[in-house]
Protein backbone atom coordinates (compact mmCIF):
# COMPACT_ATOMS: atom_id res chain seq x y z
CA UNK A 1 0.00 0.00 0.00
CA UNK A 2 1.37 3.45 -0.87
CA UNK A 3 1.49 5.17 2.53
CA UNK A 4 1.96 8.68 1.01
CA UNK A 5 -1.27 8.50 -0.93
CA UNK A 6 -3.38 6.05 1.03
CA UNK A 7 -5.97 7.10 3.60
CA UNK A 8 -6.74 5.63 6.99
CA UNK A 9 -9.43 8.13 7.93
CA UNK A 10 -12.55 6.60 9.35
CA UNK A 11 -15.86 8.49 9.36
CA UNK A 12 -18.39 7.63 12.03
CA UNK A 13 -22.11 8.22 11.61
CA UNK A 14 -23.93 8.03 14.94
CA UNK A 15 -27.59 7.35 15.52
CA UNK A 16 -29.62 10.14 17.12
CA UNK A 17 -29.95 9.66 20.89
CA UNK A 18 -33.25 10.72 22.45
CA UNK A 19 -33.24 12.87 25.58
CA UNK A 20 -35.88 13.81 28.09
CA UNK A 21 -37.03 10.22 28.56
CA UNK A 22 -36.57 8.22 31.75
CA UNK A 23 -34.54 5.08 31.10
CA UNK A 24 -34.86 1.90 33.12
CA UNK A 25 -31.79 0.41 34.77
CA UNK A 26 -29.79 -1.88 32.53
CA UNK A 27 -29.86 -5.60 33.19
CA UNK A 28 -27.30 -6.68 30.60
CA UNK A 29 -24.48 -6.58 33.12
CA UNK A 30 -25.81 -9.75 34.74
CA UNK A 31 -23.99 -11.93 32.23
CA UNK A 32 -21.67 -9.46 30.56
CA UNK A 33 -18.13 -8.29 31.01
CA UNK A 34 -16.72 -11.62 29.89
CA UNK A 35 -14.37 -10.29 27.21
CA UNK A 36 -13.39 -7.20 25.28
CA UNK A 37 -15.71 -6.02 22.50
CA UNK A 38 -14.82 -7.22 19.01
CA UNK A 39 -12.96 -4.79 16.76
CA UNK A 40 -13.50 -4.09 13.11
CA UNK A 41 -11.53 -6.40 10.84
CA UNK A 42 -11.12 -6.07 7.09
CA UNK A 43 -9.38 -8.50 4.77
CA UNK A 44 -6.18 -7.00 3.40
CA UNK A 45 -4.55 -7.46 0.04
CA UNK A 46 -1.40 -9.56 -0.22
CA UNK A 47 1.91 -7.63 0.19
CA UNK A 48 2.71 -7.93 -3.51
CA UNK A 49 -0.61 -6.31 -4.33
CA UNK A 50 -0.72 -3.74 -1.53
CA UNK A 51 2.05 -1.61 -3.08
CA UNK A 52 0.09 -1.36 -6.28
CA UNK A 53 -3.03 0.19 -4.78
CA UNK A 54 -4.30 3.15 -2.82
CA UNK A 55 -6.77 2.14 -0.09
CA UNK A 56 -9.41 4.58 1.16
CA UNK A 57 -11.74 3.45 3.93
CA UNK A 58 -15.05 4.63 5.29
CA UNK A 59 -16.30 3.26 8.63
CA UNK A 60 -19.68 3.81 10.27
CA UNK A 61 -21.25 3.01 13.62
CA UNK A 62 -25.02 2.91 13.92
CA UNK A 63 -26.97 2.11 17.09
CA UNK A 64 -30.23 0.24 17.20
CA UNK A 65 -32.53 0.07 20.24
CA UNK A 66 -33.54 -3.47 21.16
CA UNK A 67 -37.20 -4.40 20.75
CA UNK A 68 -36.93 -7.66 22.67
CA UNK A 69 -34.94 -9.31 25.45
CA UNK A 70 -34.42 -12.87 26.63
CA UNK A 71 -33.78 -13.44 30.33
CA UNK A 72 -32.40 -16.87 31.25
CA UNK A 73 -32.83 -18.19 34.80
CA UNK A 74 -31.27 -21.30 36.30
CA UNK A 75 -33.21 -23.49 38.75
CA UNK A 76 -30.99 -25.95 40.61
CA UNK A 77 -32.22 -28.59 43.06
CA UNK A 78 -30.26 -31.13 45.10
CA UNK A 79 -31.56 -34.31 46.74
CA UNK A 80 -30.29 -37.73 47.76
CA UNK A 81 -32.13 -39.75 45.08
CA UNK A 82 -32.68 -38.76 41.43
CA UNK A 83 -36.45 -39.20 41.65
CA UNK A 84 -36.65 -37.02 44.75
CA UNK A 85 -34.49 -34.43 43.01
CA UNK A 86 -36.80 -34.41 40.00
CA UNK A 87 -39.99 -34.05 42.07
CA UNK A 88 -38.60 -31.12 44.04
CA UNK A 89 -37.41 -29.46 40.84
CA UNK A 90 -40.80 -29.94 39.21
CA UNK A 91 -42.53 -28.25 42.12
CA UNK A 92 -40.17 -25.24 42.05
CA UNK A 93 -40.35 -24.90 38.29
CA UNK A 94 -44.16 -25.20 38.17
CA UNK A 95 -44.55 -22.50 40.82
CA UNK A 96 -42.28 -20.12 38.93
CA UNK A 97 -43.95 -20.78 35.56
CA UNK A 98 -47.39 -20.26 37.13
CA UNK A 99 -46.22 -16.93 38.56
CA UNK A 100 -44.99 -15.85 35.14
CA UNK A 101 -48.31 -16.86 33.59
CA UNK A 102 -50.08 -14.70 36.16
CA UNK A 103 -47.96 -11.79 34.93
CA UNK A 104 -49.03 -12.39 31.32
CA UNK A 105 -45.97 -14.40 30.27
CA UNK A 106 -46.90 -17.81 28.86
CA UNK A 107 -46.86 -19.85 25.66
CA UNK A 108 -43.98 -18.94 23.34
CA UNK A 109 -42.67 -16.43 25.90
CA UNK A 110 -41.56 -19.29 28.20
CA UNK A 111 -39.23 -22.18 27.42
CA UNK A 112 -37.87 -24.81 29.83
CA UNK A 113 -34.38 -25.99 28.89
CA UNK A 114 -33.11 -29.16 30.61
CA UNK A 115 -29.39 -28.83 31.37
CA UNK A 116 -28.25 -31.87 33.36
CA UNK A 117 -28.88 -34.32 36.21
CA UNK A 118 -25.54 -35.32 37.74
CA UNK A 119 -24.31 -37.01 40.91
CA UNK A 120 -22.80 -34.93 43.69
CA UNK A 121 -19.60 -36.10 45.38
CA UNK A 122 -18.01 -35.18 48.69
CA UNK A 123 -14.98 -36.24 50.74
CA UNK A 124 -15.08 -38.30 53.91
CA UNK A 125 -12.23 -39.58 56.05
CA UNK A 126 -11.68 -43.31 56.45
CA UNK A 127 -8.98 -45.38 58.05
CA UNK A 128 -7.61 -48.32 56.09
CA UNK A 129 -4.82 -50.51 57.49
CA UNK A 130 -4.25 -47.90 60.16
CA UNK A 131 -3.71 -45.13 57.57
CA UNK A 132 -6.22 -42.21 57.28
CA UNK A 133 -7.55 -41.48 53.79
CA UNK A 134 -9.94 -38.96 52.27
CA UNK A 135 -12.37 -40.91 50.10
CA UNK A 136 -14.58 -39.29 47.45
CA UNK A 137 -18.03 -40.82 47.33
CA UNK A 138 -21.45 -39.90 45.85
CA UNK A 139 -23.77 -38.19 48.30
CA UNK A 140 -26.71 -37.12 46.16
CA UNK A 141 -27.80 -35.63 42.83
CA UNK A 142 -28.09 -32.14 41.39
CA UNK A 143 -30.58 -31.17 38.69
CA UNK A 144 -30.44 -27.95 36.65
CA UNK A 145 -32.99 -26.50 34.27
CA UNK A 146 -32.88 -23.12 32.57
CA UNK A 147 -36.05 -21.06 32.13
CA UNK A 148 -36.00 -18.75 29.08
CA UNK A 149 -38.34 -15.77 29.36
CA UNK A 150 -38.95 -13.43 26.41
CA UNK A 151 -39.89 -9.85 27.33
CA UNK A 152 -40.40 -6.63 25.41
CA UNK A 153 -38.04 -4.20 27.13
CA UNK A 154 -35.77 -3.45 30.08
CA UNK A 155 -38.64 -2.57 32.40
CA UNK A 156 -40.29 -5.93 31.75
CA UNK A 157 -36.97 -7.71 32.33
CA UNK A 158 -36.65 -6.05 35.72
CA UNK A 159 -40.16 -7.14 36.68
CA UNK A 160 -39.43 -10.73 35.66
CA UNK A 161 -36.24 -10.74 37.75
CA UNK A 162 -38.23 -9.47 40.74
CA UNK A 163 -40.76 -12.29 40.24
CA UNK A 164 -37.94 -14.82 40.06
CA UNK A 165 -36.39 -13.61 43.30
CA UNK A 166 -39.76 -13.76 45.03
CA UNK A 167 -40.08 -17.41 43.93
CA UNK A 168 -36.66 -18.49 45.14
CA UNK A 169 -35.04 -18.37 41.68
CA UNK A 170 -31.85 -16.44 42.34
CA UNK A 171 -29.58 -17.27 39.38
CA UNK A 172 -29.82 -15.03 36.32
CA UNK A 173 -27.68 -16.82 33.74
CA UNK A 174 -27.93 -14.37 30.84
CA UNK A 175 -29.73 -11.37 29.41
CA UNK A 176 -29.71 -11.05 25.63
CA UNK A 177 -31.06 -8.42 23.24
CA UNK A 178 -32.36 -8.51 19.67
CA UNK A 179 -34.20 -6.35 17.14
CA UNK A 180 -36.41 -7.13 14.18
CA UNK A 181 -34.85 -4.20 12.31
CA UNK A 182 -31.31 -5.63 12.35
CA UNK A 183 -31.20 -6.63 8.67
CA UNK A 184 -32.42 -3.24 7.48
CA UNK A 185 -29.97 -1.48 9.79
CA UNK A 186 -27.07 -3.57 8.46
CA UNK A 187 -27.83 -2.38 4.93
CA UNK A 188 -28.16 1.20 6.15
CA UNK A 189 -24.75 0.98 7.82
CA UNK A 190 -23.17 -0.52 4.70
CA UNK A 191 -24.62 2.23 2.51
CA UNK A 192 -23.37 4.89 4.90
CA UNK A 193 -19.88 3.38 5.03
CA UNK A 194 -19.73 3.25 1.23
CA UNK A 195 -20.85 6.88 1.00
CA UNK A 196 -18.15 7.89 3.52
CA UNK A 197 -15.45 6.06 1.54
CA UNK A 198 -16.57 7.59 -1.76
CA UNK A 199 -16.68 11.09 -0.21
CA UNK A 200 -13.10 10.78 1.05
CA UNK A 201 -11.99 9.37 -2.29
CA UNK A 202 -13.44 12.39 -4.09
CA UNK A 203 -11.45 14.66 -1.77
CA UNK A 204 -8.13 12.80 -1.67
CA UNK A 205 -7.90 11.64 -5.27
CA UNK A 206 -8.41 15.18 -6.50
CA UNK A 207 -4.67 15.64 -5.85
CA UNK A 208 -3.94 13.49 -8.92
CA UNK A 209 -3.99 14.99 -12.40
CA UNK A 210 -5.84 11.90 -13.54
CA UNK A 211 -8.13 10.10 -11.10
CA UNK A 212 -6.87 6.55 -10.42
CA UNK A 213 -9.12 3.72 -11.49
CA UNK A 214 -11.13 1.76 -8.94
CA UNK A 215 -9.67 -1.76 -8.81
CA UNK A 216 -11.47 -3.51 -5.96
CA UNK A 217 -13.76 -3.10 -2.96
CA UNK A 218 -13.90 -4.88 0.40
CA UNK A 219 -16.57 -4.55 3.08
CA UNK A 220 -17.06 -5.80 6.65
CA UNK A 221 -20.26 -5.41 8.64
CA UNK A 222 -20.97 -6.77 12.11
CA UNK A 223 -23.80 -6.63 14.62
CA UNK A 224 -22.62 -6.45 18.24
CA UNK A 225 -25.16 -7.15 20.97
CA UNK A 226 -25.20 -4.94 24.09
CA UNK A 227 -24.05 -7.77 26.38
CA UNK A 228 -20.80 -7.95 24.36
CA UNK A 229 -20.02 -4.30 25.04
CA UNK A 230 -19.70 -4.54 28.81
CA UNK A 231 -16.26 -4.43 30.38
CA UNK A 232 -15.05 -5.66 33.78
CA UNK A 233 -12.02 -4.48 35.72
CA UNK A 234 -10.54 -4.67 39.22
CA UNK A 235 -10.51 -1.62 41.46
CA UNK A 236 -9.98 -2.64 45.09
CA UNK A 237 -7.86 -1.61 48.04
CA UNK A 238 -5.50 -4.36 49.17
CA UNK A 239 -3.09 -4.44 52.07
CA UNK A 240 0.55 -3.77 51.25
CA UNK A 241 1.90 -5.82 54.15
CA UNK A 242 0.55 -8.82 56.00
CA UNK A 243 1.99 -10.82 58.85
CA UNK A 244 2.02 -14.58 58.41
CA UNK A 245 0.15 -15.76 61.51
CA UNK A 246 -2.24 -18.57 62.35
CA UNK A 247 -1.15 -20.65 59.39
CA UNK A 248 -3.16 -23.54 60.82
CA UNK A 249 -6.45 -21.78 59.95
CA UNK A 250 -7.87 -21.50 56.42
CA UNK A 251 -8.49 -17.97 55.19
CA UNK A 252 -11.62 -16.77 53.44
CA UNK A 253 -11.30 -13.53 51.47
CA UNK A 254 -14.00 -10.88 51.61
CA UNK A 255 -16.44 -10.69 48.72
CA UNK A 256 -15.75 -7.70 46.49
CA UNK A 257 -18.26 -6.31 43.97
CA UNK A 258 -17.64 -6.69 40.25
CA UNK A 259 -16.69 -3.50 38.47
CA UNK A 260 -18.72 -4.06 35.31
CA UNK A 261 -20.20 -1.36 33.10
CA UNK A 262 -21.43 -0.74 29.56
CA UNK A 263 -18.25 0.56 27.94
CA UNK A 264 -19.57 0.63 24.39
CA UNK A 265 -17.46 -0.02 21.33
CA UNK A 266 -13.72 0.48 21.88
CA UNK A 267 -12.43 -0.40 18.44
CA UNK A 268 -10.60 1.62 15.80
CA UNK A 269 -13.07 4.44 15.23
CA UNK A 270 -11.76 7.96 14.64
CA UNK A 271 -15.01 9.71 15.51
CA UNK A 272 -16.81 8.13 18.45
CA UNK A 273 -20.40 8.87 19.41
CA UNK A 274 -20.30 12.06 21.46
CA UNK A 275 -23.37 11.37 23.60
CA UNK A 276 -23.23 9.18 26.70
CA UNK A 277 -24.21 5.54 26.31
CA UNK A 278 -27.09 5.67 28.79
CA UNK A 279 -29.02 2.56 27.71
CA UNK A 280 -28.05 -0.74 26.08
CA UNK A 281 -28.31 -0.60 22.30
CA UNK A 282 -27.29 -2.93 19.51
CA UNK A 283 -24.21 -1.57 17.74
CA UNK A 284 -23.76 -2.09 14.01
CA UNK A 285 -20.36 -1.41 12.48
CA UNK A 286 -19.62 -1.33 8.79
CA UNK A 287 -16.35 -0.57 7.01
CA UNK A 288 -15.86 -0.26 3.27
CA UNK A 289 -12.39 -0.11 1.68
CA UNK A 290 -11.99 1.14 -1.89
CA UNK A 291 -8.81 0.06 -3.67
CA UNK A 292 -7.59 2.31 -6.48
CA UNK A 293 -4.73 1.58 -8.86
CA UNK A 294 -1.60 3.51 -7.92
CA UNK A 295 -0.40 5.81 -10.76
CA UNK A 296 3.17 5.22 -9.58
CA UNK A 297 2.94 1.49 -10.21
CA UNK A 298 3.57 0.33 -13.79
CA UNK A 299 0.56 -1.39 -15.27
CA UNK A 300 1.09 -4.82 -16.79
CA UNK A 301 -0.77 -5.35 -20.07
CA UNK A 302 -3.36 -8.12 -19.79
CA UNK A 303 -2.36 -11.49 -21.16
CA UNK A 304 -3.98 -12.63 -24.36
CA UNK A 305 -6.39 -15.53 -24.06
CA UNK A 306 -4.98 -18.78 -25.46
CA UNK A 307 -6.22 -19.64 -28.92
Amino acid sequence: MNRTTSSRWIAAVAAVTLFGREASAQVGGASAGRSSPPATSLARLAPEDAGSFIAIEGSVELRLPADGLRVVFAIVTEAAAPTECWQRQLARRSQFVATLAGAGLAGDAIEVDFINLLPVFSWRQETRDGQPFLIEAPTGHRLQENIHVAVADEAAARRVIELALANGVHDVVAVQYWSRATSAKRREALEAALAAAKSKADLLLAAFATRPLLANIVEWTDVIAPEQLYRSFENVHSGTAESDWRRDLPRISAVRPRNTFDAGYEGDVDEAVTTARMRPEISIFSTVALYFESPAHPRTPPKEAPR
Side-chain angles (χ1 to χ4, degrees):
M1 183 184 298
N2 190 331
R3 290 291 182 181
T4 60
T5 55
S6 64
S7 169
R8 285 287 300 162
W9 296 353
I10 298 179
V13 178
V16 177
T17 303
L18 301 179
F19 292 92
R21 182 177 63 182
E22 181 180 357
S24 61
Q26 301 179 16
V27 297
S31 62
R34 295 179 296 253
S35 60
S36 300
T40 53
S41 175
L42 271 177
R44 295 295 186 220
L45 295 179
E48 59 270 19
D49 296 328
S52 305
F53 298 95
I54 303 166
I56 300 178
E57 294 183 1
S59 184
V60 171
E61 172 195 358
L62 300 182
R63 291 182 181 177
L64 178 63
D67 58 18
L69 287 81
R70 178 176 68 121
V71 187
V72 182
F73 300 95
I75 301 180
V76 180
T77 302
E78 291 189 19
T83 53
E84 180 186 4
C85 193
W86 180 263
Q87 292 301 323
R88 291 184 181 180
Q89 177 83 352
L90 179 60
R92 295 183 61 196
R93 183 226 304 163
S94 299
Q95 179 182 347
F96 182 39
V97 171
T99 302
L100 294 175
L105 295 169
D108 292 340
I110 305 294
E111 183 67 30
V112 179
D113 183 13
F114 175 83
I115 301 301
N116 54 44
L117 174 59
L118 298 173
V120 177
F121 297 86
S122 62
W123 297 94
R124 67 172 183 263
Q125 183 173 337
E126 293 184 2
T127 301
R128 298 183 180 180
D129 297 330
Q131 175 69 36
F133 289 91
L134 288 177
I135 308 298
E136 189 177 22
T139 57
H141 288 78
R142 179 185 292 117
L143 170 63
Q144 177 179 344
E145 292 178 310
N146 288 351
I147 309 298
H148 301 234
V149 185
V151 295
D153 51 32
E154 289 270 341
R158 286 169 54 84
R159 289 195 296 270
V160 167
I161 293 175
E162 292 172 357
L163 290 175
L165 296 177
N167 282 266
V169 180
H170 304 146
D171 295 323
V172 182
V173 177
V175 178
Q176 294 184 320
Y177 303 74
W178 72 86
S179 173
R180 299 175 182 85
T182 299
S183 296
K185 206 69 173 179
R186 284 177 63 101
R187 181 176 179 86
E188 180 183 343
L190 181 58
E191 292 174 347
L194 177 59
K198 292 172 66 176
S199 177
K200 287 190 292 183
D202 291 340
L203 174 64
L204 296 174
L205 298 182
F208 294 92
T210 301
R211 183 184 174 105
L213 297 177
L214 179 65
N216 208 336
I217 184 171
V218 177
E219 68 87 17
W220 179 87
T221 304
D222 194 18
V223 178
I224 304 178
E227 60 267 22
Q228 295 177 271
L229 297 174
Y230 281 77
R231 181 162 63 88
S232 296
F233 63 96
E234 291 187 3
N235 184 21
V236 297
H237 291 287
S238 300
T240 56
E242 182 177 305
S243 60
D244 192 10
W245 64 286
R246 296 306 303 272
R247 299 182 62 181
D248 58 316
L249 293 177
R251 299 183 182 184
I252 301 177
S253 300
V255 177
R256 294 173 172 83
R258 293 180 60 187
N259 291 282
T260 299
F261 72 105
D262 186 357
Y265 184 74
E266 296 178 332
D268 185 15
V269 177
D270 288 344
E271 294 185 18
V273 179
T274 57
T275 55
R277 190 179 176 94
M278 298 301 294
R279 59 184 60 86
E281 294 178 304
I282 299 170
S283 293
I284 301 179
F285 295 88
S286 183
T287 301
V288 171
L290 304 177
Y291 288 90
F292 296 87
E293 293 183 354
S294 173
H297 189 271
R299 298 187 62 184
T300 303
K303 296 182 180 180
E304 294 185 1
R307 297 179 180 178

